[in-house]
């Protein structure tokens, strides 16, 4: 269910490019809020806070998808709108490379956090990734 909520948020926000254009400061804010979501979900996994409130966690997963999809689509729309035509192709290529690097960084971070959360919750045998830190 949480993956479906996330993907629904991504779909809705990526479709929003035809309805509105977000300015650059809001894109920075959305990226910052994605980091806040990372901290929130890591804390929830560590502390089991809100486990009994699944609708709240599903709503947070939807918001995560909305933020991620919005940043993705609106950055490329911003490039298409605000970058001079002679620099547009290289700008799109650079943004695509940065997006790929961001996905790689997020995947590695997710693997490490998963290993830590599994260790901290007594599930070491479930994952091959080991946490480099002890439980605080």
């Amino acid at each position: 269910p949480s993956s479906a909520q996330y993907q629904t948020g991504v779909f809705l926000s990526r479709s929003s490019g035809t309805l509105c254009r977000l300015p650059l400061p809001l894109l920075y804010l959305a990226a910052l809020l994605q980091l806040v979501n990372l901290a929130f979900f890591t804390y929830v996994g560590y502390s089991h806070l809100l486990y009994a409130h699944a609708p709240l966690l599903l709503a947070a997963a939807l918001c995560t998808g909305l933020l991620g999809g919005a940043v993705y689509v609106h950055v490329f729309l911003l490039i298409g709108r605000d970058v001079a035509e002679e620099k547009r192709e290289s700008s799109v290529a650079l943004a695509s490379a940065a997006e790929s690097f961001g996905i790689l960084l997020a995947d590695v971070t997710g693997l490490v956090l998963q290993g830590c959360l599994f260790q901290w919750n007594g599930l070491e045998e479930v994952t091959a990734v080991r946490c480099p830190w002890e439980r605080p």
Side-chain angles (χ1 to χ4, degrees):
S2 60
S3 179
Q5 290 295 101
Y6 172 78
Q7 291 301 331
T8 299
V10 169
F11 174 76
L12 291 173
S13 62
R14 286 192 179 181
S15 302
S16 71
T18 59
L19 302 175
C20 65
R21 298 282 203 270
L22 296 180
L24 190 58
L26 281 181
L27 296 178
Y28 284 126
L29 178 62
L32 180 66
L33 288 174
Q34 286 180 301
L35 291 174
V36 170
N37 275 343
L38 172 66
F40 168 74
F41 280 113
T42 302
Y43 183 73
V44 167
Y46 172 77
S47 69
H48 301 203
L49 176 75
L50 301 176
Y51 272 20
H53 304 287
L56 215 60
L57 293 175
L58 291 174
L62 177 72
C63 289
T64 302
L66 287 169
L67 289 170
V71 169
Y72 176 85
V73 74
H74 289 281
V75 162
F76 285 102
L77 288 171
L78 195 64
I79 290 171
R81 183 186 68 204
D82 293 350
V83 174
E85 191 171 338
E86 63 273 3
K87 294 182 179 181
R88 198 169 296 150
E89 185 177 348
S90 60
S91 296
V92 168
L94 183 62
S96 296
E99 178 213 3
S100 295
F101 178 74
I103 289 170
L104 175 66
L105 184 63
D107 286 345
V108 170
T109 302
L111 281 172
V112 172
L113 281 176
Q114 177 182 333
C116 290
L117 289 171
F118 278 28
Q119 176 185 321
W120 297 338
N121 285 292
L123 302 168
E124 295 93 359
E125 67 281 351
V126 180
T127 183
V129 179
R130 298 289 174 234
C131 181
W133 304 287
E134 293 296 320
R135 182 180 174 119

